[in-house]
């Protein structure tokens, strides 16, 4: 958040795509910022991002083989 004000009660929504399983996510908040610590399945969180700070979300999961389109040359 480059400011000049804090961004308060920001709703973050990232829905799990079809074919992705075992999703877990974690949030790391910078100085003066807050967010949910972690979760599983869809990313649904509320954060406050202080001016000059950031929140970072990291997600991991598995993509089923049948969910990936076959590549053709």
């Amino acid at each position: 958040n480059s400011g000049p004000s804090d961004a308060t009660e920001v709703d973050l929504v990232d829905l799990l795509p079809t074919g992705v399983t075992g999703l877990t996510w974690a949030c790391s908040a910078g100085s003066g910022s807050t967010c949910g610590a972690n979760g599983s399945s869809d990313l649904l969180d509320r954060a406050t991002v202080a001016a000059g700070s950031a929140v970072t979300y990291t997600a991991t999961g598995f993509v089923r083989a049948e969910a990936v389109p076959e590549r053709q040359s």
Side-chain angles (χ1 to χ4, degrees):
N1 174 10
S2 47
S5 302
D6 293 350
T8 59
E9 296 189 20
V10 177
D11 288 324
L12 295 123
V13 177
D14 194 355
L15 303 179
L16 185 65
T18 302
V20 176
T21 60
L23 183 74
T24 60
W25 58 267
C27 180
S28 174
S31 179
S33 297
T34 62
C35 59
N38 56 51
S40 57
S41 85
D42 296 332
L43 193 163
L44 304 169
D45 198 22
R46 179 166 285 168
T48 294
V49 187
S53 187
V55 294
T56 302
Y57 289 87
T58 303
T60 58
F62 301 95
V63 178
R64 293 190 316 252
E66 62 271 14
V68 179
E70 187 176 314
R71 188 193 304 190
Q72 298 180 14
S73 339

